[in-house]
Amino acid sequence: MPAAALAPEVLAKYEPVIGLEVHVQLLTATKAFCGCANHFGSDPNTNICPVCLGLPGALPVLNAKAVEFATLASLAINCEVRERSIFARKNYFYPDLPKGYQISQYDKPIAEHGFIDVPTADGSMKRIGVTRLHMEEDAGKSLHDGFPDSATRTYLDLNRCGTPLVEIVSEPDIRTPDEAFEYLTRLKEILLYTGVSDCNMEEGSLRCDANVSVRLRGAEKFGTKVEVKNVNSFRFVRLALEYEIERQIEVIEAGGRITQESRLWNAAEGRTYSMRSKEQAHDYRYFPEPDLPPLIVSPEFLAEAKSKLPELPEARRARMVAEYELTPKDAATLTNSREFADRFEAAAKTARNPRRVANVLLSEIGGRLNALGLEQEQSPVSMAGIVQAADLLDEGKISSKQMKQLFDVCFEKGEDFPAVYEREKPEQITDSSALEAMIDQVIATNPKQVEQYRAGKTTLAGFFVGQVMKATKGQANPALLNELVVKKLEG
Ligand SMILES: [Zn+2]
């Protein structure tokens, strides 16, 4: 945090303006312009060739799968896909970029004018504009530590050279660090649903730079912006923005001016540092890439991509809220990942009552997993097991109390529901005459409740069911018991 914490009324005078640039590696089998494997974690400098190293005379050939993935990502964030886009050379020198330039897109990117809707603090949705999505290739990696002589040498791993990327640039529509966090969360979720990237931030598949400035509330003109680079988690983006907003306000309040610059986030110290000016003198001298023709996305290619677009998280949540009568929060839990939502829906379809499957999953399984601090994948109970339990409950073959007991055993022993049910199948009293005798007994000892029931308070049926259940230690067949209680009381 800045040296002196600023008073809330000082902070309130200013409005932050934030824009985000997100680099996303595409999950293609091979690189953007050559046949080298696009694979994280290989031995250094093993997935390289003259093309991705930029050796003289080597010519790039565009990977069609990268175009398909870029198109899918563009459509998923509501962008207009340009029929004819142009690759350009972005020239700069860096040791991990032996070519001396990156192939990117400049004034004619593949897609523009999109948006992402994000939830705000008051529960409404806010639309954040997406300026553009363009394709480019990644550079290699400088390894500054991990070697005996790392103090004096830097090593280079060029495997990443030529990895296909899309860069997604937002409009400066974001006003708080929380909105930035939500935007990134939604963007990642959408990209994961489309399957174009694994969005693994630890491996650098998704990287974020943030542009931030502050201005007096009500002012038209943007303040001078600062670019915060090298932020490798969404939580850090939020922290870096909080820090940077306060820092800028402090400078302005002290009568100073903000310098347009790039700053690095240092997570260990919780602050940003100015990068040396040499590292930020950007003049990329873009010019059209002479080795690649214009990229044409034909109407047929676009239609094909559209047909491959899955139902996206927001739409899926809305549908599931309606279809399974879920709260938005429960729908969010079930749609956390596309794979999980798919598994749930496939299973729910086979059940007698899909809504009951959702309930059992969320309350019984979810509750136990939460209590144990486990992830869904670590649950001993399979989706098929949940469906079986829900069906048994629905058919009245087990009571909810028995179901809870069976799930307790599943979690204690780490066994799936079908095995536990088969072994510990609860005894059930399905003998009508035995149940009727017990109901008669309860009716006889509770005349007041019988009177109230017959006067119209029919919800009291539950009281009689409960009494008999208690007497049978929960072993009465619930469906049969319900039926008999009503019959007796009405009779
Ligand atoms: Zn290569």
Side-chain angles (χ1 to χ4, degrees):
M1 286 285 106
L6 290 162
E9 57 270 26
V10 175
L11 287 173
K13 281 181 6 198
Y14 293 88
E15 178 181 55
V17 174
I18 301 162
L20 297 171
E21 292 171 12
V22 177
H23 283 89
V24 183
Q25 284 182 358
L26 301 178
L27 262 185
T28 53
T30 55
K31 293 185 182 179
F33 302 108
C34 63
C36 291
N38 173 24
H39 181 249
F40 180 88
S42 297
D43 285 339
N45 303 309
T46 52
N47 300 327
I48 50 175
C49 75
V51 174
C52 49
L53 296 184
L55 300 187
L59 288 173
V61 178
L62 179 60
N63 181 343
K65 199 71 185 170
V67 180
E68 183 191 317
F69 281 177
T71 307
L72 269 176
S74 302
L75 292 171
I77 53 173
N78 309 294
C79 282
E80 292 163 22
V81 177
R82 193 189 286 272
E83 194 168 342
R84 186 176 188 273
S85 60
I86 303 291
F87 284 103
R89 284 193 186 179
K90 179 182 180 181
N91 300 283
Y92 65 99
F93 170 77
Y94 210 74
D96 60 21
L97 186 71
K99 268 158 76 162
Y101 61 88
Q102 258 177 304
I103 301 178
S104 182
Q105 293 185 314
Y106 186 51
D107 57 345
K108 290 193 174 58
I110 187 168
E112 291 173 298
H113 312 306
F115 63 85
I116 296 174
D117 289 329
V118 302
T120 59
D122 67 9
S124 62
M125 296 300 266
K126 176 173 171 179
R127 183 156 290 183
I128 309 293
V130 171
T131 315
R132 57 190 272 148
L133 178 150
H134 67 252
M135 299 181 70
E136 62 182 25
E137 60 176 340
D138 215 338
K141 240 191 279 189
S142 301
L143 307 172
H144 299 293
D145 37 42
F147 297 93
D149 50 358
S150 281
T152 51
R153 283 169 199 263
T154 289
Y155 287 76
L156 293 173
D157 178 5
L158 301 177
N159 279 345
R160 204 175 65 179
C161 284
T163 294
L165 298 175
V166 290
E167 179 175 343
I168 298 164
V169 182
S170 87
E171 290 286 311
D173 289 345
I174 299 165
R175 291 291 171 270
T176 66
D178 282 339
E179 275 178 26
F181 183 87
E182 286 296 337
Y183 170 89
L184 291 168
T185 305
R186 293 291 155 138
L187 174 60
K188 178 178 168 185
E189 187 181 62
I190 292 168
L191 292 170
L192 283 174
Y193 262 62
T194 61
V196 303
S197 175
D198 62 18
C199 297
N200 184 332
M201 293 189 82
E202 280 98 63
E203 296 181 359
S205 315
L206 192 152
R207 309 193 288 269
C208 177
D209 299 331
N211 288 304
V212 54
S213 62
V214 299
R215 63 180 171 187
L216 283 170
R217 261 175 218 286
E220 289 270 312
K221 228 175 128 239
F222 288 154
T224 304
K225 73 175 178 187
V226 162
E227 187 183 29
V228 185
K229 297 179 86 82
N230 201 25
V231 202
N232 61 6
S233 87
F234 294 169
R235 201 168 59 82
F236 287 160
V237 171
R238 183 155 58 187
L239 290 172
L241 286 169
E242 282 168 3
Y243 172 86
E244 189 56 29
I245 288 163
E246 288 207 23
R247 186 191 68 81
Q248 292 184 16
I249 293 174
E250 205 171 55
V251 169
I252 295 169
E253 283 286 309
R257 285 178 52 195
I258 302 299
T259 318
Q260 181 161 352
E261 61 179 351
S262 294
R263 295 176 72 90
L264 281 176
W265 168 246
N266 183 316
E269 295 177 32
R271 54 164 295 181
T272 62
Y273 280 100
S274 181
M275 288 168 77
R276 275 170 298 138
S277 56
K278 250 199 291 187
E279 290 177 38
Q280 46 185 317
H282 294 323
D283 182 2
Y284 294 125
R285 293 172 184 270
Y286 281 97
F287 64 85
E289 165 61 59
D291 292 337
L292 286 167
L295 168 59
I296 307 295
V297 176
S298 68
E300 296 75 36
F301 188 92
L302 192 60
E304 174 84 19
K306 269 186 189 145
S307 74
K308 286 182 185 163
L309 204 62
E311 184 181 28
L312 294 170
E314 201 55 52
R316 188 166 202 173
R317 272 192 282 275
R319 178 177 59 74
M320 282 171 65
V321 163
E323 213 168 307
Y324 304 100
E325 293 180 16
L326 300 173
T327 62
K329 188 167 166 276
D330 285 345
T333 306
L334 290 178
T335 53
N336 215 335
S337 79
R338 179 181 166 191
E339 190 268 342
F340 182 64
D342 285 349
R343 276 200 297 134
F344 160 70
E345 291 214 277
K349 277 198 186 81
T350 67
R352 290 167 55 95
N353 180 344
R355 256 178 270 148
R356 201 184 284 283
V357 177
N359 285 335
V360 170
L361 173 58
L362 290 162
S363 59
E364 297 301 328
I365 305 299
R368 283 172 175 77
L369 291 172
N370 278 344
L372 294 167
L374 296 177
E375 297 295 321
Q376 196 67 52
E377 299 73 46
Q378 297 167 289
S379 171
V381 182
S382 66
M383 213 53 101
I386 293 169
V387 169
Q388 187 189 19
D391 281 353
L392 288 167
L393 192 65
D394 206 59
E395 292 170 285
K397 287 186 177 160
I398 55 173
S399 64
S400 59
K401 189 174 169 204
Q402 288 167 336
M403 181 182 69
K404 283 176 198 294
Q405 288 164 345
L406 291 167
F407 280 143
D408 283 342
V409 176
C410 292
F411 275 79
E412 267 162 41
K413 307 208 162 165
E415 285 181 295
D416 201 356
F417 185 84
V420 171
Y421 177 72
E422 198 44 48
R423 191 178 61 233
E424 315 208 355
K425 201 177 289 185
E427 294 284 324
Q428 261 208 345
I429 303 171
T430 51
D431 175 355
S432 302
S433 53
L435 288 176
E436 281 182 56
M438 287 192 227
I439 297 167
D440 286 339
Q441 174 108 37
V442 175
I443 284 177
T445 49
N446 296 284
K448 210 185 278 171
Q449 281 83 350
V450 177
E451 203 178 301
Q452 286 174 321
Y453 179 92
R454 290 183 177 151
K457 203 175 170 197
T458 51
T459 50
L460 272 174
F463 164 77
F464 292 95
V465 170
Q467 292 297 309
V468 177
M469 266 299 179
K470 210 155 134 196
T472 62
K473 298 196 171 63
Q475 292 183 340
N477 177 300
L480 180 62
L481 177 60
N482 269 308
E483 187 193 312
L484 292 174
V485 161
V486 171
K487 202 171 89 188
K488 287 274 180 189
L489 287 169
E490 302 281 330

